[in-house]
Amino acid sequence: LILLPFIAVLLMVTAWRRRSLCDLLRWGLMVSVPTLAVAGWWYYRNWLLYGDPFGLAAMFTVLPAQAEGPALAELLARAEGVYRSAWGVFGWFNVVAEPWLYAVYTGLTVAGVAGLGLLVIRRLRRDDRTGLSALAWSALWSLVVLAALIGWSQKRYPQGRLLFPAISAFSVLLAAGLTQGIARLSDRWRQVGAGVLAAGLFALAVWVPLHYIAPAYAPRPLLADLPSDALPLRVDFGGQAQLLGYELPEDSVRLGETLPLTLYWQALSLMEEDYTVFTHLLLPPDQVWAQEDDQLQDGQSPTSTWQPGQIIQDHYELALLAEAPPGVYEIEIGLYLPATGDRLKVGLSDAGIVLGKVKVQK
């Protein structure tokens, strides 16, 4: 929507140069009709449902804004995550690529920006302004989107995807810098270089989903029986599932470390709901100092898909809060419905079960 004023100014300037009102009307229809067809119904729907064409009030009810904006140091610290996620962070910000991939894109970005600067300087020295206005508009639009992201980050967590409205603009800028910034290359070699670069980036774009995303969401193999090194339990949860056993490699942990825990679940009957597993590390009687709540296998094995008799292995890493006091902690496990908070009962109790104790040291 912020782009629409840019388009309007461009169309009016171009029509004024051509002294053609018909061109302005025709171009206006070419822009407005597709815009309304693609997005108009969405804004109308939001207006009917929420009294707000953008639906922001409804979203902020679920995801409220931060009371105070981040300090400059925190904002700069978040910039790396924004930059990396603009190139390639997947899932819910939890599937990342290897460092070398980000280094490749960083190198291309630096080279593109440097080449763009050389291109502009060279054109200005020659008094050749061919294409500079288009680059200037692309740069301005990129800066507007970046400023909007900075404004957003004052109240909510920024992500690289919020830069995507300007992806075509800064892609043009980087491409111009990479292909036109080196003056000594002939047009032929520039074309060869652009072709090689495009082919390499295309190959990366095909390889990344197969290498990072597919394995992260691949169904994990089911087990035929409880592993021999697991501690057997066979605790019944509401007649729907049982905790067959668990593995706790360590019986002590230091502050700042994580405690690995592996659980083995078995379906007893078909389950209509998708339950979430909670794992608490608590200091008796009820002080929770580490907690992880998630569906089975990071959501890859929701309980509604379980078949009776299946054994599901699930792994957790419990991270203690920095201010947690030393002491002997209990590991509490349970299943609950996220929508209501209702837990599957163990016998007559819905408090979950205590697997064992862990010593927390400084």
Side-chain angles (χ1 to χ4, degrees), residues 11 82 104 128 166 218 249 267 277 306 319 336 339:
L11 296 184
V82 172
V104 168
D128 178 9
V277 179
W306 289 8
Y336 72 96

Side-chain angles (χ1 to χ4, degrees), residues 259 279-290 318 327-333 353-360:
L259 180 70
T279 55
H280 294 165
L281 197 59
L282 57 87
L283 191 61
D286 57 2
Q287 293 180 332
V288 177
W289 290 100
L318 292 173
V328 178
Y329 286 66
E330 294 179 344
I331 303 174
E332 184 185 38
I333 306 295
I353 65 167
V354 175
L355 290 184
K357 296 183 177 181
V358 174
K359 186 177 182 180
V360 175

Side-chain angles (χ1 to χ4, degrees), residues 11 14 33 84 93 142 154 156 219 225 228 264 282 325 335:
L11 296 184
T14 307
V33 171
R84 288 195 168 197
F93 232 73
S142 299
Q154 300 303 306
R156 292 159 191 91
D225 202 354
S228 58
Y264 296 92
L282 57 87
L335 290 165

Side-chain angles (χ1 to χ4, degrees), residues 31 52 81-82 129 141 151-153 182 228 253 265 276 348:
V31 171
D52 172 11
V82 172
R129 288 174 170 74
W141 172 238
W152 177 269
S153 66
I182 303 176
S228 58
V253 63
W265 297 91
T276 290
L348 298 177

